[in-house]
Amino acid sequence: KIASKFAHDLLLSDTSSLHGVASRSLDKAQAFGEQNKSIRNYGSYEELAEDPEIDIVYIATPHVHHFENTMMCLKNGKWGLWVNLLGLVAAEVRSMIDEVRSRNLFLLEGIWTRFIPATEKLLELLDQKVIGDIHHLTADFGFRAEYDPDGRLFNKKLGGGSLLDVGIYPIYFSLLALGLPMEVKAMARFAETDVDSYCSMIFNYDNNAMANLESSI
């Protein structure tokens, strides 16, 4: 779904093209490619990563595959734009960053809320001290997901849970406005599949600011 939106908007650009689409099966890649006017279609991710005509790769696979897909593309010299999040654990992300730096490549976590006009305006207002210093911030992201133990949102093996799917947005908002906290406290409620269906977080800052954050599916 997200890949379709990205590919559709790419057609609006005069300076880029959808050169190739990859899937685990050629049939799926061709169907997506025809819909979004790609030049080439690949029946495996390896084929796309090894194509010298590809400059930048956009990865929209489930979270659990991001590290493997990222490293494969980076080792083939590709620049990367990854739909959030970069990796499931910090060690994966550190490995990606080391690989990027060693090869002088570019890697961007595609948190779309960073690039909308409202965010740019917010940063402008904060920089100009229009609303003064922030003492308290509240942010949440939640929606009612249909419970499917084998689906991406509730399957632990696929990196499921509210925190990894939508919790990163209020967390990112706090990091953007207040920076890194000195203390994090969190509580969660878990679904039967052992992923968090609800997460509540408190970020404490050394300037006495505080952020209350929530995520829910």
Side-chain angles (χ1 to χ4, degrees):
K1 182 179 178 181
I2 297 175
S4 293
K5 290 184 177 181
F6 180 86
H8 174 269
D9 286 355
L10 198 61
L11 295 173
L12 304 177
S13 171
D14 295 326
T15 58
S16 58
S17 64
L18 184 58
H19 189 84
V21 170
S23 181
R24 288 172 291 179
S25 74
L26 183 58
D27 289 343
K28 287 184 177 181
Q30 289 175 335
F32 189 96
E34 290 175 5
Q35 182 180 358
N36 296 285
K37 301 180 181 179
S38 69
I39 298 172
R40 297 181 183 177
N41 304 301
Y42 311 86
S44 72
Y45 302 134
E46 289 81 3
E47 289 180 68
L48 183 145
E50 294 170 1
D51 187 341
E53 296 297 316
I54 298 289
D55 299 315
I56 303 173
V57 178
Y58 175 78
I59 288 186
T61 52
H63 303 327
V64 71
H65 301 301
H66 284 188
F67 178 69
E68 176 187 357
N69 296 159
T70 300
M71 297 300 284
M72 177 179 62
C73 290
L74 293 176
K75 288 179 179 179
N76 279 279
K78 306 300 187 221
W79 286 28
L81 170 61
W82 272 248
V83 66
N84 61 73
L85 42 85
L86 278 180
L88 290 178
V89 294
E92 291 182 349
V93 178
R94 283 194 290 266
S95 294
M96 295 179 195
I97 293 173
D98 290 342
E99 192 71 26
V100 168
R101 287 175 173 166
S102 69
R103 297 177 181 273
N104 195 30
L105 297 172
F106 174 84
L107 179 65
L108 174 70
E109 184 174 34
I111 297 184
W112 61 274
T113 50
R114 173 59 183 86
F115 301 97
I116 59 176
T119 299
E120 294 297 324
K121 186 64 177 180
L122 170 67
L123 293 175
E124 177 187 325
L125 295 175
L126 293 178
D127 184 60
Q128 296 175 356
K129 297 288 186 180
V130 173
I131 59 174
D133 295 324
I134 298 175
H135 297 286
H136 183 252
L137 180 152
T138 300
D140 61 84
F141 195 151
F143 66 98
R144 186 176 181 85
E146 182 179 349
Y147 180 69
D148 178 2
D150 297 320
R152 178 183 67 83
L153 290 174
F154 289 97
N155 190 329
K156 193 172 185 178
K157 292 181 179 179
L158 295 179
S162 74
L163 179 63
L164 295 183
D165 190 66
V166 293
I168 58 171
Y169 291 103
I171 289 174
Y172 170 73
F173 185 63
S174 179
L175 297 179
L176 188 67
L178 294 170
L180 291 173
M182 67 173 183
E183 181 184 26
V184 174
K185 294 183 178 181
M187 294 179 63
R189 296 292 180 264
F190 291 88
E192 294 177 0
T193 53
D194 202 30
V195 302
D196 63 293
S197 58
Y198 169 81
C199 190
S200 175
M201 298 153 277
I202 297 176
F203 285 11
N204 280 319
Y205 290 86
D206 54 12
N207 63 350
N208 290 324
M210 179 179 291
N212 286 0
L213 315 172
E214 293 182 339
S215 62
S216 175
I217 52 173

